[in-house]
Amino acid sequence: MIDGLGGLADAEHGTELEEAATPNLDRLAAEGVTGLLEPVGPGITPGSGPGHLALFGYDPLRFVLGRGALSAAGLGVELRPGDVAARGNLATLDPSGAVVDRRAGRIADEEARQVVDELAEAVPGVEFHHEKGHRVLVVFHGEGLDPRVSDTDPQATGVPPLEPRALDPAAEPTARLVQERLRRIAEALEHEPSANGLLLRGFDSHRELPSFRDRTGMRAAADAVYPMYRGIARLLGFDVLGPPADLDEQGRLLEKHRDEADFLFVHHKGADAAGEDGDRAAKIAEIERLDRAIPDLVAAAEPGVIAVTGDHATPSQMAAHSWHPVPLLVHAPRCGRDDVDRFGERWSRGGGLGLRPSLHLLPILMANAGRLAKYGA
Amino acid sequence: MIDGLGGLADAEHGTELEEAATPNLDRLAAEGVTGLLEPVGPGITPGSGPGHLALFGYDPLRFVLGRGALSAAGLGVELRPGDVAARGNLATLDPSGAVVDRRAGRIADEEARQVVDELAEAVPGVEFHHEKGHRVLVVFHGEGLDPRVSDTDPQATGVPPLEPRALDPAAEPTARLVQERLRRIAEALEHEPSANGLLLRGFDSHRELPSFRDRTGMRAAADAVYPMYRGIARLLGFDVLGPPADLDEQGRLLEKHRDEADFLFVHHKGADAAGEDGDRAAKIAEIERLDRAIPDLVAAAEPGVIAVTGDHATPSQMAAHSWHPVPLLVHAPRCGRDDVDRFGERWSRGGGLGLRPSLHLLPILMANAGRLAKYGA
């Protein structure tokens, strides 16, 4: 799973994947079959939750997760009934209160942890957990809090954070509580040089999802550096390995645990982060870095069936997630073979798997693994 | 929207679009992405109503419109509850009563209007409105009339018109009333040289559809020469421009009203009419005529996102609508780019948008226009 893998070809360039040198992925594509996946629906830009759920066989229109719940699961923070969690971004505001940088200059982990510790001390009734970089999990404690509260992250610079509003009358008390806590948070951050704001999005409460094992009969394991992706996997009942610090460690974890799982989910974040930064060269470099790791990852996992794809597109021209289809390759003894011998959107378009919803992937992989019985007599 | 755009390649010829010289559409295709649309479902031949509804994002299996209701809306005739409307074709019958020409030799507007005036005078309890050419809107007045009455148009020559039958027991009185009125209509037309018959189809009553603006947040405007297409748009709450007389006027209307609408629907009828006549050369000429107008239309509308497609196929070999997929091109700054540099079915097949239901088009256009928020965290 190469996060944010999909790109956007324009008059000047192919997509990042098309232009990256990926001899190992190309070899898998040549020996296997390729196609394109549409994560949620035509024209729909997915968040990370829906993008992953679809690939794991959960209809993202039926199973909906807030980022708060995802972050909490990723950090192993158990939400109690009545709590409400949100994803916080440490951000930089200008003297007028407008957002200058939604990620506080991609603040370093150590500095961010200090800011989070100060917040925890200054603001009672709220839990703060540092995730990674500018990302913070914020848990509001209370009695019967209601997660139907709107984001304060304006998803833009040059404007001030939004006021949290109740999206349902029942959430009015929660919205008021969040407003009050945000005032204290603002006071506590006032003196910070860069991380002087906190933007909240994806309010959510405790959720139960049916387990992947119950749905598929497969034991699954997640091998991901970033907490949120471990969180998604944990919500579905995956064993969560590590945490690993980098691709090398991800490989070692695969080798160690490969016999304990039928389904191994390996997550690579860098391509998405570079795409969101609008850094085309960095996204290409991240894809090439993953490509170089492929032989080791394959040797470590000894998989019978390999799929390489993304949870959504993050074209560097847009510096954001987008709705464009995501390339897919499947490599297995019985996957068939098409005429495609390079991995990338323009070639995948003519591949043997066609253009499909991401939800189609899991049954195709299970079939290739000999795990689906004949339907009907 | 090139009505009836899709065609049928055979051993002798490509489709009409493939063989037409369309340098302007080819340029849009080269700079944008292409694909194929299936209007209603595999193997389903759509009428104009479902073909358009799908492109406007209304599931044509859920929202069903009779041609009578469409024609009434197109003419601005308000159907009262209890009325039943049908589309009438002035037709030529031979002395035995069999249909010789379902369109009365494509009777001229002026002659048709005279016939319609005579009908209005001779047949009480029925309203007749001339639409265009051989097309007439027929409204039956009554108390609680039921539209579930079968067509009298046999959709074939060499056979007599069909008797109207009740498709539900509740529609028996309506069917009897229509039978009685048709006898009077036949008497009134007896002496006509060519328009001596009237074929009815698409019985329907008053309907309410959810508005396009409520569903999409977009103000829409319709720029169409033919009343029925203005009618479809009016039923969805579009502003209906004009009416324009031809493509030139359609361009002028676009320029004048472009700032009042977010979504501009431009309808070109000629390709469908020529296809229905089985006139291959005329259909090619109509497509080429539209192609020549493209630069002016684009300059007039200044669109951020352009889509060119059809509501259904009308292959001239079949002289009728058909189920074949319809070519699509989308041109926008972030639409992506495929390897297709000509507009036509055989090239669109390998395009970046793939083969999709027509219902997918609107969300893709809205995404390209930056009008859809991210789904999920």
Side-chain angles (χ1 to χ4, degrees), chain A residues 145-164:
Chain A
L145 295 185
D146 189 307
R148 287 169 288 181
V149 173
S150 65
D151 294 354
T152 72
D153 185 344
Q155 301 267 1
T157 54
V159 293
L162 306 171
E163 276 292 294

Side-chain angles (χ1 to χ4, degrees), chain A residues 349, chain B residues 9 15 18 34-36 340 344-352 354-355:
Chain A
R349 212 163 275 147
Chain B
T15 69
E18 286 168 11
T34 60
L36 290 169
V340 176
E345 290 83 342
R346 78 196 298 176
W347 305 289
S348 288
R349 214 161 274 147
L355 168 64

Side-chain angles (χ1 to χ4, degrees), chain B residues 101-239:
Chain B
D101 187 325
R102 285 182 54 246
R103 299 179 187 91
R106 290 219 178 260
I107 186 170
D109 283 344
E110 198 171 340
E111 192 186 341
R113 264 193 296 270
Q114 276 182 15
V115 175
V116 167
D117 288 346
E118 287 167 31
L119 280 173
E121 202 157 318
V123 185
V126 185
E127 247 178 272
F128 298 89
H129 297 269
H130 180 242
E131 241 182 271
K132 208 160 179 76
H134 58 283
R135 301 183 189 85
V136 182
L137 168 67
V138 185
V139 182
F140 297 89
H141 293 303
E143 301 251 323
L145 295 185
D146 190 305
R148 286 169 288 181
V149 173
S150 65
D151 295 354
T152 73
D153 185 344
Q155 302 266 2
T157 55
V159 293
L162 306 170
E163 276 292 294
R165 283 176 297 102
L167 299 171
D168 186 280
E172 293 285 0
T174 308
R176 279 196 300 273
L177 179 138
V178 172
Q179 284 163 21
E180 192 278 328
R181 299 290 192 266
L182 278 172
R183 269 191 292 277
R184 287 169 179 251
I185 289 169
E187 286 165 24
L189 294 177
E190 230 170 13
H191 67 284
E192 289 291 334
S194 71
N196 63 346
L198 184 71
L199 309 175
L200 299 179
R201 59 189 164 128
F203 287 89
D204 201 8
S205 53
H206 177 74
R207 296 283 176 95
E208 292 279 355
L209 283 174
S211 89
F212 184 81
R213 184 156 189 185
D214 286 350
R215 285 165 64 93
T216 66
M218 294 192 286
R219 298 166 304 165
D223 188 9
V225 173
Y226 277 68
M228 201 182 75
Y229 309 97
R230 292 204 297 275
I232 295 171
R234 190 173 284 124
L235 285 171
L236 307 181
F238 285 35
D239 287 334

Side-chain angles (χ1 to χ4, degrees), chain A residues 1 3 47-56 58 63 65-76 87 131 209-212 220 222 224 226-240 265 267 269 311-312, chain B residues 377:
Chain A
M1 155 76 76
D3 204 299
S48 298
H52 280 78
L53 285 179
L55 292 171
F56 296 148
Y58 291 73
F63 299 99
L65 283 176
R67 195 170 275 265
L70 291 177
S71 296
L75 292 169
R87 155 65 75 78
E131 244 182 90
L209 283 175
S211 90
F212 185 79
Y226 277 67
M228 201 182 75
Y229 309 96
R230 292 204 297 275
I232 295 171
R234 189 173 285 124
L235 286 171
L236 307 181
F238 285 35
D239 288 335
V240 177
F265 158 49
H267 182 268
K269 175 71 178 172
D311 54 342
H312 54 75

Side-chain angles (χ1 to χ4, degrees), chain A residues 14-374:
Chain A
T15 68
E16 295 89 350
L17 177 60
E18 286 168 11
E19 302 217 337
T22 55
N24 295 301
L25 292 169
D26 292 348
R27 186 179 49 78
L28 292 177
E31 294 174 1
V33 283
T34 60
L36 289 168
L37 294 178
E38 207 158 52
V40 176
I44 307 299
T45 294
S48 298
H52 280 78
L53 285 179
L55 292 171
F56 296 148
Y58 291 73
D59 180 350
L61 297 177
R62 191 174 148 213
F63 299 99
V64 180
L65 283 176
R67 195 170 275 265
L70 291 177
S71 296
L75 292 169
V77 172
E78 208 157 318
L79 294 184
R80 281 163 300 192
D83 288 351
V84 159
R87 155 65 75 78
N89 269 20
L90 291 173
T92 310
L93 310 181
D94 71 13
S96 79
V99 177
V100 177
D101 187 325
R102 286 181 53 246
R103 301 179 185 90
R106 290 219 178 260
I107 186 172
D109 282 345
E110 198 171 340
E111 191 186 342
R113 263 193 297 270
Q114 275 181 15
V115 175
V116 167
D117 288 347
E118 287 167 33
L119 279 173
E121 202 157 317
V123 185
V126 185
E127 247 178 273
F128 298 88
H129 297 269
H130 180 242
E131 244 182 90
K132 203 157 182 77
H134 58 283
R135 300 183 189 85
V136 181
L137 168 68
V138 184
V139 183
F140 296 89
H141 293 303
E143 300 251 324
L145 295 185
D146 189 307
R148 287 169 288 181
V149 173
S150 65
D151 294 354
T152 72
D153 185 344
Q155 301 267 1
T157 54
V159 293
L162 306 171
E163 276 292 294
R165 282 175 299 102
L167 299 172
D168 186 281
E172 292 285 359
T174 309
R176 278 196 300 275
L177 178 137
V178 172
Q179 283 164 20
E180 193 277 330
R181 300 290 191 268
L182 278 173
R183 269 191 293 278
R184 286 168 180 251
I185 289 169
E187 286 166 23
L189 294 177
E190 229 170 14
H191 67 283
E192 289 293 333
S194 72
N196 62 346
L198 184 71
L199 309 175
L200 300 178
R201 59 188 164 128
F203 286 89
D204 201 6
S205 53
H206 177 73
R207 295 283 175 95
E208 291 280 355
L209 283 175
S211 90
F212 185 79
R213 184 157 188 183
D214 286 349
R215 285 165 64 93
T216 66
M218 294 192 288
R219 298 167 303 165
D223 188 9
V225 172
Y226 277 67
M228 201 182 75
Y229 309 96
R230 292 204 297 275
I232 295 171
R234 189 173 285 124
L235 286 171
L236 307 181
F238 285 35
D239 288 335
V240 177
L241 310 181
D246 55 25
L247 267 170
D248 284 348
E249 269 195 60
Q250 285 180 280
R252 284 195 290 277
L253 283 174
L254 279 186
E255 190 167 1
K256 188 168 166 197
H257 296 282
R258 69 182 174 217
D259 294 333
E260 297 154 25
D262 307 304
F263 180 90
L264 290 159
F265 158 49
V266 184
H267 182 268
H268 181 64
K269 175 71 178 172
D272 178 61
E276 290 219 328
D277 285 343
D279 190 337
R280 174 181 181 72
K283 184 170 169 190
I284 292 175
E286 280 295 339
I287 293 170
E288 293 181 341
R289 193 157 77 87
L290 188 275
D291 183 79
R292 285 192 298 276
I294 286 286
D296 283 350
L297 293 173
V298 171
E302 295 186 341
V305 179
I306 302 170
V308 181
T309 188
D311 54 342
H312 54 75
T314 308
S316 50
Q317 300 98 316
M318 295 177 66
H321 293 195
S322 79
W323 65 90
H324 301 88
V326 185
L328 163 70
L329 76 79
V330 172
H331 185 280
R334 290 172 171 174
C335 66
R337 199 154 181 174
D338 55 27
D339 295 329
V340 177
D341 58 6
R342 287 186 68 175
F343 192 38
E345 289 83 343
R346 79 193 298 174
W347 305 291
S348 288
R349 212 163 275 147
L353 291 169
L355 168 65
R356 315 165 161 274
S358 295
L359 202 51
H360 286 198
L361 178 61
L362 191 75
I364 290 173
L365 299 184
M366 291 182 71
N368 273 285
R371 288 182 166 268
L372 294 182
K374 183 159 70 175

